[in-house]
Amino acid sequence: MYITVSIENGYATVQWNRPEVLNALNTALMAELTDTLEALDKDDQVRCIILTGNEAAFAAGADIKEMAEASAVEMLLHDQFARWDRIRKIKKPLIAAVSGFALGGGCELAMACDIIIASETARFGQPEITIGVMPGAGGTQRLTRAIGKARAMEIVLTGRFITSREACNAGLVNKVVPDEAVMDEARRLAHEIASRPPVAVRLAKESVLKAFDTTLEGGLEFERKNFYLLFASEDQKEGMKAFTEKRKPAWKGR
Ligand code: CO8
């Protein structure tokens, strides 16, 4: 068991811990993480999920020792990326609270989240090239979309680590905070998102993500349909009524 979960104020905090290997993501940890996220995605008490490691590392990548001797066919049959596809399908907002190293699969896991809060001393990178491979869990795609071709290319081809400040300036990270404030900031944000109407949050997340894999035309159409769909929710009626009556809305999540 590598993972602990706590639920408060409408959000869950999922924390993993393999301190002896800087939270390297082995198969067992990833299996536990995926199952945990899917269970929380179905839990009505939870409206937002924080993912975090420990102070030394969010995660220093996939577990190199676990895969070092694998053959291509073993890797193919093991199909560890199927789990990553399941994480991509989580409907609730995911906030990565990153301290320490977020490297390789660790950086990719942070990028699979919707928002990244990082400590001042956190380091991001895709160092796979330095061990004879390349990113495999979305790094070449998500990093490029987040920070552009020129910067992504340099990071992927050199394996250089970047500071959280550089990551923030480039658009990879939402906010950099002092080391001791990372969890507080992630909780503040999670609480704020959890206080929003959940159906609208779900469709809004889905619509933003759609921008990654469609044309502008297709994305606008998708957005519009989700917008219309929200007029079928009780929360839309409540939200607009509350605005008119100058009071706080009481969301039902329907
Ligand atoms: N896998 C396995 N063990 C690791 C990993 C890792 N990724 N990272 C660190 N460790 C272990 C070290 O072997 C060491 O163990 P030991 O004490 O038994 O020797 C312990 O953690 C502490 O590490 P260091 O002594 O190296 O600590 P330093 O502070 O000197 O260095 C670094 C920290 C710079 C983070 C260094 O550990 C490092 O370079 N780690 C590897 C980073 C890396 O290359 N990551 C990419 C891995 S490949 C990958 O992620 C592919 C992703 C696609 C698949 C995703 C599926 C899950």
Side-chain angles (χ1 to χ4, degrees):
M1 294 284 281
Y2 295 111
I3 288 181
T4 54
V5 179
S6 62
I7 299 176
E8 57 189 327
N9 295 326
Y11 62 85
T13 303
V14 176
Q15 179 168 30
W16 51 86
N17 215 14
R18 284 190 83 203
E20 68 285 2
V21 286
L22 296 173
N23 284 337
L25 304 168
N26 63 4
T27 306
L29 194 160
M30 284 306 296
E32 213 182 314
L33 176 62
T34 314
D35 291 346
T36 302
L37 292 176
E38 285 180 341
L40 292 171
D41 210 24
K42 293 193 191 102
D43 184 336
D44 287 342
Q45 281 182 54
V46 175
R47 295 176 171 190
C48 184
I49 304 170
I50 298 172
L51 282 74
T52 195
N54 55 35
E55 279 174 25
F58 183 73
D63 191 320
I64 298 170
K65 291 165 196 166
E66 190 182 59
M67 66 184 160
E69 298 302 325
S71 71
V73 172
E74 280 163 358
M75 291 295 280
L76 176 81
L77 295 179
H78 183 43
D79 195 16
Q80 59 189 318
F81 298 119
R83 289 206 185 84
W84 291 74
D85 292 337
R86 283 162 59 194
I87 294 176
R88 187 163 58 90
K89 290 189 180 129
I90 298 294
K91 294 183 167 38
K92 290 176 184 166
L94 304 177
I95 299 176
V98 177
S99 295
F101 295 109
L103 304 174
C107 186
E108 289 166 314
L109 182 56
M111 291 192 291
C113 295
D114 302 304
I115 291 175
I116 304 178
I117 304 297
S119 77
E120 269 163 0
T121 56
R123 294 286 178 275
F124 294 81
Q126 298 288 161
E128 290 91 338
I129 204 82
T130 66
I131 54 168
V133 284
M134 56 172 275
T140 62
Q141 303 306 299
R142 291 207 176 92
L143 191 64
T144 307
R145 281 167 166 80
I147 69 176
K149 177 195 153 191
R151 284 185 284 220
M153 197 65 95
E154 186 213 327
I155 288 166
V156 168
L157 297 185
T158 66
R160 171 173 87 83
F161 301 169
I162 60 171
T163 63
S164 47
R165 240 345 122 205
E166 189 177 350
C168 191
N169 291 340
L172 179 65
V173 160
N174 290 72
K175 194 167 181 183
V176 180
V177 296
D179 291 7
E180 63 282 5
V182 174
M183 288 314 296
D184 281 347
E185 179 58 22
R187 288 190 195 105
R188 188 198 63 71
L189 196 59
H191 190 207
E192 189 175 342
I193 292 171
S195 73
R196 304 296 181 221
V199 180
V201 166
R202 174 176 166 157
L203 296 187
K205 165 170 169 165
E206 193 180 273
S207 300
V208 173
L209 288 179
K210 196 72 182 171
F212 285 116
D213 57 19
T214 187
T215 57
L216 179 60
E217 178 93 10
L220 290 171
E221 204 169 302
F222 187 82
E223 177 193 73
R224 208 160 294 167
K225 290 209 168 127
N226 277 347
F227 179 77
Y228 293 148
L229 181 56
L230 287 172
F231 282 75
S233 71
E234 291 180 33
D235 284 347
Q236 174 270 326
K237 299 285 173 284
E238 166 63 7
M240 294 192 180
K241 194 160 179 269
F243 175 82
T244 313
E245 294 170 359
K246 300 188 189 296
R247 61 171 172 81
K248 269 186 88 171
W251 307 124
K252 291 189 177 149
R254 287 196 293 273

